[in-house]
Amino acid sequence: MTALLIGNVGAVGDPEAMAEYRERVGSTLALYGGWFVIRNGNFDVLEGAWQPDHLSVMGFPSAEQARRWYHSPEYREIVPLRAQTHMDLILLEGQAV
């Protein structure tokens, strides 16, 4: 089953560290079969009260691969770069159609 990670980056605490995180995160995704489906995409809230700031969608062949990436030493190494930045990350798994 295909898995998507939906990320919302909120207030950035350290712009320089966050820029380095953004530069390095793509190569960590690739190691675990992941890719950016949409990065820094434009959005329009059609219903509800959710007001995200900066959305990205990452794809993986499975939720297990996404979890392996999330807990991987390669990704864990760069996580401190976003320590002062608010981030929401949601894993969604389902049948691709």
Side-chain angles (χ1 to χ4, degrees), residues 32-91:
Y32 294 86
W35 67 95
F36 277 102
V37 177
I38 296 173
R39 191 170 194 185
N40 192 23
N42 296 323
F43 60 89
D44 187 12
V45 177
L46 299 178
E47 286 189 40
W50 188 31
Q51 293 297 315
D53 297 299
H54 168 103
L55 288 176
S56 294
V57 178
M58 296 147 280
F60 284 89
S62 69
E64 180 57 34
Q65 286 294 99
R67 287 185 186 97
R68 286 176 52 199
W69 164 77
Y70 183 76
H71 296 291
S72 73
E74 296 87 0
Y75 182 62
R76 292 286 111 198
E77 181 181 316
I78 67 170
V79 166
L81 294 170
R82 64 171 180 82
Q84 297 177 31
T85 296
H86 174 84
M87 185 175 294
D88 301 308
L89 195 58
I90 298 167
L91 176 59

Side-chain angles (χ1 to χ4, degrees), residues 11-33:
V12 174
D14 182 341
E16 289 180 17
M18 196 59 190
E20 182 179 347
Y21 171 87
R22 287 182 175 133
E23 182 179 310
R24 294 175 60 187
V25 70
S27 63
T28 69
L29 289 169
L31 292 172
Y32 294 86

